[in-house]
């Protein structure tokens, strides 16, 4: 057997699964499954299937997901660096599919790092609405922010906050919330042998307590009629059915939305709540509460080609939104760069003229933001870019939120990072390039994935490029920033002069 799960874990699963146990145990001798998910912000799945450099096999529960052979090394191809697909464990694609995200909605990914599910949400938003993606671990938000940027997301805010503080800042503000909850990780033993080696029985209780706290905060963040998807990658009923049952007891305004019968997704196990109570490890739930957990779902490694996951869809009953004074929406920026103010903020705007020092700071900020507008006129094809330009940490962002809404929060990215201003001129950021389409840039150089030039660019090398290869807007000169693409998909920036393309691809992103 390739992986040997902990003995105490196996004994418990034998008791819980009964006649299913032998098939479950045998699954640890099977190879793990690898998958990719197509990024529809950049390419249509049908187009990707035509261009894919490796064999694809559909994943049943995700229309944009495909099984791949891990040996093909999908991370070692220019298309990966162009953000055309995300490498993701197949079962991990299921929670966002159940969230049922629609363009224009306000969505929160509460425990988001490293960001795979956030990029899946962003693709479903199609550039409209707003995604707030968060992880309480500041170190983990580095990978989260990088993935948001690589995959061309324009309408996201990245936070490193506790759920409680987000709830105070955005009460009843989100249409959809994803909680990919911290858990004991029992479902990942086959994928990650270290997880199996380090697992401790005490983790189950510890993480169950954390999950209950996170769900409490999520309830304070969700708008009436909104939806929460709660998921884990563990088997323990304390972290799954019991967590949901406890939440329903405390929040009668919520209900479990039963999952549509699916051959890949098995139902929840309400009988395991009874088992926990008989073991003295859980409470006795009212029958109507316990019965709802049967509408949850489980992905089992002995039944599907993927690792173990638990899924629950929760909806707050009630239509319409809270009153604006209670909802905490504050300033919401329109997609065309304008903004609407709440009555509360409008009143605050009439409190009198700020001091001279604040005026000077505001003037400096206006000059910086004008540098961005100048860059956009000279290098972008009158594209209607979403969000409000704002200065944050010396960088320029286009934010889906007004700056005032972020005050007091630990903000990693307040929006789409477009560049840094120095000496009155804006140097464009890599995330600006990755989220642009070739039609939005004044100058474009397209590279071919089938020869070595694209990889040389990704390694940071200077390229020899004839002037005729640079596609320019009519009337524009060749001098200036060039959007470098591979087979029509953006990679990064370069600056062309006298037959040479100076490479602007950042060192931290380069092919290794």
């Amino acid at each position: 057997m390739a992986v040997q799960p902990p003995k105490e874990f196996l004994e418990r699963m034998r008791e819980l699964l009964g006649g299913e146990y032998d098939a479950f145990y045998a699954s640890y001798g099977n190879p793990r499954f690898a998958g990719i998910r197509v990024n529809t912000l950049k390419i249509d799945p049908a187009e990707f299937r035509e261009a894919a450099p490796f064999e694809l096999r559909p994943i049943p529960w995700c229309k944009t997901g495909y099984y791949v052979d891990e040996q093909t090394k999908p991370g070692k191809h220019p298309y990966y660096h162009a953000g055309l697909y995300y490498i993701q464990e197949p079962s991990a694609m299921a929670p966002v599919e159940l969230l049922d995200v629609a363009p224009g909605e306000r969505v929160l990914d509460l425990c988001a790092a490293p960001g795979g599910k956030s990029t899946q949400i962003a693709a479903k938003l199609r550039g409209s609405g707003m995604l707030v993606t968060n992880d309480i671990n500041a170190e983990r938000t580095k990978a989260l922010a990088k993935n948001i940027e690589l995959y061309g997301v324009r309408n996201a805010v990245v936070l490193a906050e506790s759920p409680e503080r987000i709830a105070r800042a955005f009460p009843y503000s989100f249409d959809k919330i994803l909680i990919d909850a911290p858990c004991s990780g029992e479902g990942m033993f086959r994928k990650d042998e270290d997880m199996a080696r380090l697992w401790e029985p005490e983790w189950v209780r510890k993480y169950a307590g954390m999950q209950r706290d996170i769900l409490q905060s999520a309830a304070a963040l969700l708008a009436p009629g909104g939806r929460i998807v709660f998921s884990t990658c563990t088997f323990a009923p304390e972290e799954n059915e019991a967590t949901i049952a406890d939440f329903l007891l405390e929040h009668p305004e919520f209900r479990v939305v039963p999952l549509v019968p699916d051959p890949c997704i098995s139902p929840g196990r309400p009988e395991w709540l009874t088992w926990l109570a008989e073991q003295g490890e859980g409470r006795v739930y009212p029958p109507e509460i316990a019965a709802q957990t049967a509408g949850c779902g489980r992905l089992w490694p002995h039944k599907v080609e993927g690792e173990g996951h638990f899924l629950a869809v929760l909806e707050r009953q009630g239509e319409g939104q809270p009153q604006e004074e209670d909802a905490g929406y504050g300033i919401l920026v329109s997609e065309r760069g304008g903004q609407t103010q709440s009555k509360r903020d409008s009143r605050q705007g009439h409190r009198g003229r700020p001091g001279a020092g604040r005026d000077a700071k505001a003037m400096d900020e206006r000059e910086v933001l004008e540098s961005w507008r100048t860059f956009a006129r000279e290098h972008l094809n009158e594209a209607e870019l979403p969000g409000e330009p704002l200065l944050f940490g010396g960088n320029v962002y286009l934010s889906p939120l007004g700056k005032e809404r972020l005050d007091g929060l630990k903000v990693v990215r307040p929006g789409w990072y477009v560049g840094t201003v120095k000496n009155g001129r804006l140097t464009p950021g890599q995330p600006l390039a990755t989220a642009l389409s070739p039609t939005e840039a004044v100058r474009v150089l397209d590279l071919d994935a089938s020869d070595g030039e694209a990889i040389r660019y990704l390694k940071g090398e200077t390229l020899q490029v004839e002037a005729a290869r640079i596609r320019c807007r009519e009337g524009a000169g060749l001098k200036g920033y060039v959007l470098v693409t591979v087979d029509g998909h953006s990679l990064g920036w370069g600056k062309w002069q006298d037959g040479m393309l100076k490479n602007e691809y950042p060192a931290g992103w380069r092919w290794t």
Side-chain angles (χ1 to χ4, degrees), residues 134-283:
N134 174 74
D135 201 278
I136 195 170
N137 187 321
E139 186 64 27
R140 283 169 56 83
T141 60
K142 294 177 182 177
L144 172 58
K146 170 78 176 292
N147 281 322
I148 288 292
E149 293 169 348
L150 174 61
Y151 290 91
V153 181
R154 303 185 182 200
N155 56 331
V157 172
V158 183
L159 302 179
E161 267 297 356
S162 68
E164 296 88 348
R165 284 176 56 83
I166 299 174
R168 288 197 291 270
F170 298 102
Y172 306 108
S173 295
F174 293 95
D175 304 302
K176 305 286 172 62
I177 299 175
L178 177 67
I179 304 172
D180 187 33
C183 67
S184 58
E186 295 169 352
M188 293 291 109
F189 287 169
R190 184 170 61 180
K191 179 186 175 186
D192 186 348
E193 293 186 33
D194 284 342
M195 186 73 75
R197 181 173 54 82
L198 296 172
W199 179 88
E200 297 286 345
E202 295 78 16
W203 286 10
V204 170
R205 290 288 176 187
K206 179 181 79 170
Y207 285 111
M210 293 170 61
Q211 293 162 4
R212 286 165 174 77
D213 291 342
I214 292 170
L215 270 168
Q216 292 286 3
S217 296
L221 283 155
L222 190 70
R227 171 175 288 204
I228 294 171
V229 168
F230 173 89
S231 67
T232 73
C233 56
T234 197
F235 302 115
E238 295 94 326
E239 300 176 74
N240 296 323
E241 287 88 355
T243 293
I244 298 303
D246 284 340
F247 179 76
L248 294 173
L249 272 178
E250 295 183 30
H251 294 274
E253 73 277 20
F254 278 84
R255 69 180 182 96
V256 171
V257 179
L259 300 189
V260 175
D262 186 295
C264 295
I265 302 179
S266 302
R269 305 295 289 262
E271 68 273 19
W272 287 0
L273 297 175
T274 304
W275 181 85
L276 285 174
E278 291 172 348
Q279 301 294 313
E281 297 177 6
R283 68 172 75 177

Side-chain angles (χ1 to χ4, degrees), residues 372-391:
W372 152 246
R373 296 183 182 97
T374 299
F375 175 89
R377 285 193 299 270
E378 294 176 354
H379 295 87
L380 304 180
N381 283 325
E382 299 180 0
E384 287 189 356
L385 304 181
E388 173 190 359
L390 62 83
L391 184 64

